[in-house]
Amino acid sequence: MLFVSCALFCGLWLTVMPADAVARWVQVGLGVVVITGTVLSLRFPLAAVLTTVVATGTGWALGLTADPFVLAGLTMFALAEGRGVRRIPWWIPVSAFVALLVSLGLSAEGAEERLRGLLLGGVVLSASWFLGVRTRQVAKAFAERSRAEERLRLARDVHDVLSHSLGTIGVRAGVAAHVVALSEDDLRGVLREVEQDARTSLAELKGLLQRERTAPDEDDALPSLAEGLDDLARSAERAGLQVRVEAPDALDDISAAVRTTLYRVAQEAVTNTIRHANASSVAIALSVLDGACQIEVRDDGDGAARGFREGHGLLGMRERVESLGGTLTLDAAPRGFTVAASLPLLVPASWRAP
């Protein structure tokens, strides 16, 4: 800011030749005041605006500057960026009009030039204020959008963590509550499975919150996709489903973002099968084709009506996939429901045909 202020002072002030040496010293003094106000505008914006406007206006009245309030405009921008609300406040044109009247009252000589200078200065100050307020509004909108996106992301992550385990716990608890023929050993087994699901869910939620606090590398988000799918299959089997998983080797060679998204798609699809499909089996198939990793989760349940409405889980799943440049398709048939996603990736050499 200091360099810019000094350069503008040299170009717009010192190029104007005063009538005598005293006027030159007055010119330099006013310039020092303007430069000081510009440099301090970030800490004291209101004082900087008043100082630079008064000093520049005095220089115009004495014929010591050709600055159309450009340096004052820098301080005006800082004030508007920090405190501005209205894009064009009423006091800018009023102040310009008052300054014009005062200037005309001082002397009729050079009135036309002073008029042009004041009009141009009013335009510069108004534009500086407008740009400052606009910058403030854009920054505020960006911050609000970032906060909203962060809330949605966190809500989606918490949903992904809790939805599956709570759905499984609900199914197992419902079976234990309504099947009167369960022996004591069977009931204890169900309770142990419920306890295990609850502990797993709490551990995953704790890990999620820990990642939110420490913001580690994304590669730590899902250590092993194969282990995650195996745990998912065992959890679904405890809820009464027959699960078949077909996946290539070296799943962990792909990026962490794709790995995590594939797991979340499978998790949400299996959770919906447990909670809504009344199915007996579900198949999870992963494949790599033409530089993309594809996952398909198909159940043999009741299906869904055509034109069904996507809930928060499916919307979150779609957001995850599309954020990586992938596509998600949902196929509702009279018998069964299919979730398929395709995510772009660089295919590791171990997956390519020799």
Side-chain angles (χ1 to χ4, degrees):
M1 182 67 76
L2 178 61
F3 176 79
V4 174
S5 301
C6 291
L8 290 174
F9 172 71
C10 292
L12 299 175
W13 287 73
L14 295 183
T15 54
V16 178
M17 301 302 298
D20 51 38
V22 175
R24 171 65 80 177
W25 282 109
V26 173
Q27 181 188 60
V28 172
L30 291 174
V32 171
V33 172
V34 172
I35 293 174
T36 303
T38 305
V39 172
L40 298 178
S41 60
L42 295 179
R43 296 189 61 183
F44 310 102
L46 181 58
V49 168
L50 295 176
T51 301
T52 54
V53 169
V54 171
T56 305
T58 303
W60 268 101
L62 299 177
L64 300 177
T65 182
D67 178 14
F69 292 87
V70 173
L71 288 166
L74 296 177
T75 63
M76 185 71 77
F77 177 88
L79 176 63
E81 186 180 20
R83 306 181 185 180
V85 178
R86 294 186 178 183
R87 294 188 178 182
I88 301 295
W90 61 268
W91 51 268
I92 290 183
V94 171
S95 300
F97 181 72
V98 172
L100 177 61
L101 293 180
V102 172
S103 176
L104 292 177
L106 292 176
S107 173
E109 184 180 355
E112 182 178 353
E113 182 179 356
R114 290 199 301 272
L115 175 62
R116 287 197 301 267
L118 288 173
L119 289 177
L120 180 57
V123 172
V124 170
L125 292 177
S126 299
S128 300
W129 179 273
F130 176 84
L131 292 175
V133 172
R134 179 59 179 168
T135 302
R136 173 185 174 90
Q137 292 174 343
V138 170
K140 182 178 179 180
F142 178 78
E144 291 177 351
R145 184 169 61 251
S146 298
R147 287 194 295 268
E149 291 175 353
E150 182 66 15
R151 287 195 299 269
L152 288 175
R153 184 192 63 80
L154 184 58
R156 184 176 62 234
D157 289 343
V158 172
H159 174 275
D160 291 340
V161 169
L162 296 180
S163 178
H164 175 75
S165 58
L166 293 181
T168 304
I169 289 173
V171 171
R172 299 295 294 167
V175 171
H178 292 88
V179 177
V180 297
L182 282 178
S183 64
E184 182 177 347
D185 291 338
D186 292 335
L187 181 59
R188 289 183 179 276
V190 171
L191 293 177
R192 281 194 295 268
E193 292 171 356
V194 169
E195 179 188 13
Q196 181 179 352
D197 289 338
R199 290 183 181 276
T200 301
S201 177
L202 288 175
E204 193 171 356
L205 181 60
K206 181 179 179 181
L208 171 63
L209 297 178
Q210 182 66 27
R211 291 194 298 271
E212 291 296 323
R213 294 189 184 99
T214 59
D217 191 347
E218 189 180 14
D219 287 340
D220 296 333
L222 187 66
S224 173
L225 178 56
E227 292 179 4
L229 292 178
D230 289 340
D231 293 339
L232 180 63
R234 287 193 295 269
S235 177
E237 288 171 351
R238 288 196 296 269
L241 287 176
Q242 295 180 358
V243 183
R244 184 177 73 255
V245 178
E246 298 178 1
D249 297 330
L251 287 173
D252 298 329
D253 289 350
I254 60 179
S255 67
V258 174
R259 214 163 58 231
T260 302
T261 300
L262 291 173
Y263 174 74
R264 294 305 184 192
V265 168
Q267 185 183 51
E268 179 63 26
V270 171
T271 299
N272 289 338
T273 298
I274 295 173
R275 297 176 62 185
H276 307 299
N278 192 27
S280 61
S281 65
V282 60
I284 304 173
L286 277 81
S287 62
V288 175
L289 181 64
D290 297 332
C293 187
Q294 300 175 350
I295 184 171
E296 181 182 275
V297 182
R298 182 190 301 270
D299 64 55
D300 62 352
D302 295 336
R306 294 292 178 177
F308 64 92
R309 180 181 178 183
E310 295 184 9
H312 293 295
L314 293 178
L315 287 175
M317 185 193 306
R318 187 178 297 280
E319 290 172 358
R320 280 185 179 275
V321 172
E322 292 179 352
S323 67
L324 297 180
T327 58
L328 179 75
T329 58
L330 308 173
D331 184 17
R335 189 65 182 173
F337 191 84
T338 302
V339 176
S342 178
L343 295 168
L345 78 164
L346 296 176
V347 182
S350 59
W351 287 13
R352 295 173 183 164

Coordinates of all heavy atoms in Angstrom, one line a residue, residues 282-337:
V282 N -28.8 -59.7 -1.2 CA -28.3 -58.5 -1.8 C -26.9 -58.8 -2.4 O -26.1 -59.6 -1.8 CB -28.2 -57.3 -0.8 CG1 -27.3 -57.6 0.3 CG2 -27.7 -56.0 -1.5
A283 N -26.6 -58.3 -3.6 CA -25.3 -58.6 -4.2 C -24.6 -57.2 -4.4 O -25.2 -56.3 -4.9 CB -25.6 -59.2 -5.6
I284 N -23.3 -57.2 -4.1 CA -22.4 -56.1 -4.2 C -21.4 -56.4 -5.2 O -20.6 -57.4 -5.0 CB -21.8 -55.6 -2.9 CG1 -22.9 -55.4 -1.9 CG2 -21.0 -54.4 -3.1 CD1 -22.4 -55.1 -0.5
A285 N -21.3 -55.7 -6.3 CA -20.3 -56.1 -7.4 C -19.5 -54.8 -7.7 O -20.1 -53.8 -8.0 CB -21.0 -56.6 -8.6
L286 N -18.2 -55.0 -7.7 CA -17.3 -53.9 -8.1 C -16.5 -54.3 -9.3 O -16.1 -55.5 -9.5 CB -16.3 -53.5 -7.0 CG -16.7 -52.6 -5.9 CD1 -17.6 -53.4 -4.9 CD2 -15.6 -51.9 -5.2
S287 N -16.2 -53.4 -10.2 CA -15.5 -53.7 -11.4 C -14.8 -52.5 -11.9 O -15.1 -51.3 -11.6 CB -16.4 -54.3 -12.5 OG -17.4 -53.3 -12.9
V288 N -13.8 -52.7 -12.8 CA -13.0 -51.6 -13.4 C -13.1 -51.7 -14.9 O -12.8 -52.8 -15.5 CB -11.6 -51.6 -12.9 CG1 -10.8 -50.5 -13.7 CG2 -11.5 -51.4 -11.5
L289 N -13.6 -50.6 -15.6 CA -13.8 -50.7 -17.0 C -13.6 -49.3 -17.6 O -14.2 -48.3 -17.1 CB -15.2 -51.2 -17.3 CG -15.6 -51.3 -18.8 CD1 -14.7 -52.4 -19.5 CD2 -17.1 -51.6 -19.0
D290 N -12.7 -49.2 -18.6 CA -12.5 -48.0 -19.3 C -12.1 -46.8 -18.4 O -12.7 -45.7 -18.5 CB -13.7 -47.6 -20.2 CG -14.0 -48.7 -21.2 OD1 -13.0 -49.3 -21.7 OD2 -15.2 -48.8 -21.6
G291 N -11.2 -47.0 -17.5 CA -10.7 -46.0 -16.6 C -11.7 -45.5 -15.6 O -11.6 -44.4 -15.0
A292 N -12.7 -46.3 -15.2 CA -13.7 -46.0 -14.2 C -14.0 -47.2 -13.3 O -13.9 -48.3 -13.8 CB -15.0 -45.5 -14.9
C293 N -14.2 -46.9 -12.1 CA -14.6 -48.0 -11.1 C -16.1 -47.9 -11.0 O -16.7 -46.9 -10.7 CB -13.9 -47.7 -9.8 SG -14.1 -49.1 -8.6
Q294 N -16.7 -49.1 -11.1 CA -18.1 -49.2 -11.1 C -18.6 -50.1 -9.9 O -17.9 -51.1 -9.7 CB -18.7 -49.7 -12.4 CG -18.4 -48.8 -13.6 CD -18.8 -49.4 -14.9 OE1 -19.2 -50.6 -15.0 NE2 -18.7 -48.6 -16.0
I295 N -19.6 -49.7 -9.3 CA -20.2 -50.5 -8.2 C -21.7 -50.6 -8.4 O -22.3 -49.7 -8.8 CB -19.9 -49.9 -6.8 CG1 -20.4 -50.8 -5.7 CG2 -20.5 -48.5 -6.7 CD1 -20.0 -50.4 -4.3
E296 N -22.2 -51.8 -8.2 CA -23.6 -52.1 -8.3 C -24.1 -52.9 -7.1 O -23.5 -53.9 -6.7 CB -23.9 -52.9 -9.6 CG -25.4 -53.2 -9.8 CD -25.6 -54.0 -11.0 OE1 -25.7 -53.4 -12.1 OE2 -25.7 -55.2 -10.9
V297 N -25.1 -52.4 -6.5 CA -25.8 -53.1 -5.3 C -27.2 -53.4 -5.7 O -28.0 -52.5 -6.0 CB -25.7 -52.2 -4.1 CG1 -26.3 -53.0 -2.9 CG2 -24.3 -51.8 -3.8
R298 N -27.5 -54.7 -5.8 CA -28.8 -55.1 -6.3 C -29.4 -56.1 -5.2 O -28.8 -57.0 -4.7 CB -28.7 -55.9 -7.6 CG -30.0 -56.4 -8.2 CD -29.7 -57.3 -9.4 NE -29.0 -56.6 -10.4 CZ -29.5 -55.9 -11.4 NH1 -30.8 -55.8 -11.5 NH2 -28.7 -55.4 -12.3
D299 N -30.7 -55.8 -4.9 CA -31.4 -56.7 -3.9 C -32.6 -57.3 -4.6 O -32.9 -57.0 -5.8 CB -31.8 -55.9 -2.7 CG -32.9 -54.8 -3.0 OD1 -33.9 -55.1 -3.6 OD2 -32.6 -53.6 -2.7
D300 N -33.2 -58.3 -4.0 CA -34.4 -59.0 -4.5 C -35.7 -58.6 -3.7 O -36.5 -59.5 -3.6 CB -34.2 -60.5 -4.5 CG -34.0 -61.0 -3.1 OD1 -33.8 -60.2 -2.2 OD2 -33.9 -62.3 -3.0
G301 N -35.7 -57.4 -3.2 CA -36.8 -57.0 -2.4 C -38.0 -56.5 -3.1 O -38.2 -56.9 -4.3
D302 N -38.8 -55.7 -2.5 CA -40.1 -55.3 -3.1 C -40.0 -54.2 -4.1 O -40.9 -53.9 -4.8 CB -41.0 -54.8 -1.9 CG -41.4 -55.9 -1.0 OD1 -41.4 -57.0 -1.4 OD2 -41.7 -55.5 0.2
G303 N -38.8 -53.7 -4.3 CA -38.6 -52.6 -5.3 C -39.2 -51.3 -4.8 O -39.4 -51.1 -3.6
A304 N -39.4 -50.4 -5.7 CA -40.0 -49.1 -5.4 C -40.8 -48.6 -6.5 O -40.6 -49.1 -7.7 CB -38.9 -48.1 -5.1
A305 N -41.8 -47.8 -6.3 CA -42.6 -47.2 -7.3 C -41.8 -46.3 -8.3 O -40.9 -45.7 -7.9 CB -43.8 -46.4 -6.7
R306 N -42.2 -46.3 -9.5 CA -41.6 -45.4 -10.5 C -41.8 -44.0 -10.1 O -42.8 -43.6 -9.6 CB -42.2 -45.7 -11.9 CG -41.8 -47.0 -12.4 CD -40.4 -47.2 -12.8 NE -40.0 -48.5 -13.3 CZ -38.9 -48.9 -13.7 NH1 -37.9 -48.1 -13.6 NH2 -38.6 -50.1 -14.1
G307 N -40.8 -43.2 -10.3 CA -40.9 -41.8 -9.9 C -40.8 -41.6 -8.4 O -41.3 -40.6 -7.8
F308 N -40.1 -42.5 -7.7 CA -40.0 -42.4 -6.2 C -39.2 -41.2 -5.9 O -38.3 -40.7 -6.6 CB -39.4 -43.7 -5.6 CG -37.9 -43.9 -6.1 CD1 -36.9 -43.4 -5.4 CD2 -37.7 -44.6 -7.3 CE1 -35.6 -43.6 -5.8 CE2 -36.4 -44.8 -7.7 CZ -35.3 -44.3 -7.0
R309 N -39.4 -40.7 -4.6 CA -38.7 -39.5 -4.2 C -37.4 -40.0 -3.4 O -37.4 -40.8 -2.6 CB -39.5 -38.7 -3.2 CG -38.9 -37.5 -2.7 CD -39.8 -36.8 -1.7 NE -39.2 -35.6 -1.1 CZ -39.8 -34.8 -0.2 NH1 -41.0 -35.1 0.2 NH2 -39.2 -33.8 0.2
E310 N -36.3 -39.3 -3.8 CA -35.0 -39.6 -3.1 C -35.0 -39.0 -1.7 O -35.2 -37.8 -1.6 CB -33.8 -39.1 -4.0 CG -33.7 -39.8 -5.3 CD -32.5 -39.3 -6.1 OE1 -31.7 -38.6 -5.5 OE2 -32.4 -39.7 -7.3
G311 N -34.6 -39.8 -0.7 CA -34.5 -39.2 0.6 C -33.1 -38.7 0.8 O -32.3 -38.6 -0.1
H312 N -32.8 -38.3 2.1 CA -31.5 -37.7 2.4 C -30.4 -38.6 2.1 O -29.3 -38.2 1.7 CB -31.5 -37.3 3.9 CG -32.5 -36.2 4.2 ND1 -32.4 -34.9 3.7 CD2 -33.6 -36.2 5.0 CE1 -33.3 -34.2 4.2 NE2 -34.1 -34.9 5.0
G313 N -30.6 -39.9 2.4 CA -29.5 -40.9 2.1 C -29.1 -41.0 0.7 O -28.0 -40.9 0.3
L314 N -30.1 -41.1 -0.2 CA -29.8 -41.2 -1.6 C -29.3 -39.9 -2.2 O -28.4 -39.9 -3.0 CB -31.1 -41.6 -2.4 CG -31.6 -43.0 -2.1 CD1 -32.9 -43.3 -2.9 CD2 -30.6 -44.1 -2.5
L315 N -29.8 -38.7 -1.7 CA -29.3 -37.5 -2.1 C -27.8 -37.3 -1.7 O -27.0 -36.8 -2.5 CB -30.1 -36.3 -1.5 CG -31.5 -36.1 -2.1 CD1 -32.3 -35.1 -1.4 CD2 -31.4 -35.8 -3.6
G316 N -27.5 -37.7 -0.4 CA -26.1 -37.6 0.0 C -25.2 -38.5 -0.8 O -24.1 -38.2 -1.2
M317 N -25.7 -39.7 -1.2 CA -25.0 -40.6 -2.0 C -24.7 -40.0 -3.4 O -23.6 -40.0 -3.9 CB -25.8 -41.9 -2.2 CG -25.0 -43.0 -2.9 SD -26.2 -44.4 -3.4 CE -26.9 -44.8 -1.8
R318 N -25.7 -39.4 -4.0 CA -25.6 -38.7 -5.3 C -24.6 -37.6 -5.2 O -23.7 -37.4 -6.1 CB -26.9 -38.2 -5.8 CG -26.9 -37.7 -7.2 CD -28.2 -37.3 -7.7 NE -29.2 -38.4 -7.7 CZ -29.3 -39.3 -8.7 NH1 -28.4 -39.2 -9.7 NH2 -30.1 -40.2 -8.7
E319 N -24.6 -36.8 -4.1 CA -23.7 -35.7 -4.0 C -22.2 -36.2 -3.9 O -21.3 -35.6 -4.5 CB -24.0 -34.9 -2.7 CG -25.3 -34.1 -2.9 CD -25.8 -33.5 -1.6 OE1 -25.0 -33.7 -0.5 OE2 -26.8 -32.7 -1.5
R320 N -22.0 -37.3 -3.1 CA -20.7 -37.8 -3.0 C -20.2 -38.2 -4.4 O -19.0 -37.9 -4.7 CB -20.7 -39.0 -2.1 CG -20.7 -38.7 -0.6 CD -20.6 -40.0 0.2 NE -20.6 -39.8 1.6 CZ -19.5 -39.5 2.3 NH1 -18.3 -39.4 1.7 NH2 -19.6 -39.3 3.6
V321 N -21.0 -39.0 -5.1 CA -20.5 -39.5 -6.4 C -20.3 -38.3 -7.4 O -19.2 -38.3 -8.1 CB -21.6 -40.5 -7.0 CG1 -21.2 -40.9 -8.4 CG2 -21.7 -41.7 -6.1
E322 N -21.2 -37.4 -7.5 CA -21.0 -36.3 -8.5 C -19.9 -35.4 -8.1 O -19.3 -34.7 -9.0 CB -22.3 -35.6 -8.6 CG -23.5 -36.4 -9.2 CD -24.8 -35.6 -9.3 OE1 -24.9 -34.5 -8.8 OE2 -25.7 -36.2 -10.0
S323 N -19.5 -35.3 -6.8 CA -18.4 -34.4 -6.4 C -17.1 -34.9 -7.0 O -16.1 -34.2 -7.1 CB -18.4 -34.3 -4.9 OG -18.0 -35.5 -4.3
L324 N -17.0 -36.2 -7.3 CA -15.8 -36.8 -7.9 C -15.9 -37.0 -9.4 O -15.1 -37.6 -10.0 CB -15.5 -38.2 -7.2 CG -15.3 -38.1 -5.7 CD1 -15.0 -39.6 -5.2 CD2 -14.1 -37.2 -5.4
G325 N -17.0 -36.4 -10.0 CA -17.1 -36.5 -11.4 C -17.8 -37.7 -11.9 O -17.7 -38.1 -13.0
G326 N -18.4 -38.5 -11.0 CA -19.0 -39.7 -11.3 C -20.5 -39.6 -11.6 O -21.1 -38.5 -11.5
T327 N -21.2 -40.7 -11.8 CA -22.6 -40.7 -12.1 C -23.3 -41.8 -11.2 O -22.6 -42.9 -10.9 CB -22.9 -41.0 -13.6 OG1 -22.3 -42.3 -13.9 CG2 -22.4 -39.9 -14.5
L328 N -24.5 -41.6 -10.8 CA -25.2 -42.5 -10.0 C -26.6 -42.8 -10.7 O -27.3 -41.8 -11.1 CB -25.5 -41.9 -8.6 CG -26.3 -42.8 -7.6 CD1 -25.4 -44.0 -7.1 CD2 -26.8 -42.0 -6.5
T329 N -26.9 -44.0 -10.8 CA -28.2 -44.4 -11.4 C -29.0 -45.3 -10.4 O -28.4 -46.2 -9.7 CB -28.0 -45.1 -12.7 OG1 -27.2 -46.3 -12.5 CG2 -27.4 -44.2 -13.7
L330 N -30.3 -45.1 -10.3 CA -31.1 -45.9 -9.5 C -32.2 -46.5 -10.3 O -32.9 -45.9 -11.1 CB -31.8 -45.0 -8.4 CG -30.9 -44.1 -7.6 CD1 -31.7 -43.1 -6.8 CD2 -30.0 -44.9 -6.7
D331 N -32.4 -47.8 -10.2 CA -33.3 -48.6 -11.0 C -34.3 -49.3 -10.1 O -33.9 -50.2 -9.3 CB -32.6 -49.6 -11.9 CG -33.5 -50.4 -12.8 OD1 -34.6 -49.9 -13.0 OD2 -33.1 -51.5 -13.3
A332 N -35.5 -48.8 -10.1 CA -36.6 -49.4 -9.3 C -37.4 -50.4 -10.2 O -38.1 -49.9 -11.1 CB -37.5 -48.3 -8.7
A333 N -37.4 -51.6 -9.9 CA -38.1 -52.6 -10.7 C -39.2 -53.2 -9.8 O -39.2 -53.0 -8.6 CB -37.2 -53.8 -11.1
P334 N -40.2 -53.9 -10.4 CA -41.3 -54.5 -9.5 C -40.7 -55.4 -8.5 O -41.3 -55.6 -7.4 CB -42.1 -55.2 -10.5 CG -41.9 -54.5 -11.8 CD -40.5 -54.0 -11.8
R335 N -39.6 -56.0 -8.8 CA -39.0 -56.9 -7.8 C -37.5 -56.6 -7.8 O -36.7 -56.9 -8.6 CB -39.2 -58.4 -8.3 CG -38.7 -59.4 -7.2 CD -39.6 -59.3 -6.0 NE -39.2 -60.2 -4.9 CZ -39.7 -60.2 -3.7 NH1 -40.7 -59.3 -3.4 NH2 -39.3 -61.1 -2.8
G336 N -37.1 -55.9 -6.7 CA -35.7 -55.6 -6.6 C -35.4 -54.1 -6.8 O -36.2 -53.4 -7.5
F337 N -34.3 -53.6 -6.3 CA -33.9 -52.3 -6.4 C -32.4 -52.3 -6.7 O -31.6 -53.0 -6.0 CB -34.2 -51.4 -5.2 CG -34.0 -50.0 -5.3 CD1 -35.0 -49.2 -5.9 CD2 -32.8 -49.3 -4.9 CE1 -34.9 -47.8 -6.0 CE2 -32.7 -48.0 -5.1 CZ -33.7 -47.2 -5.6

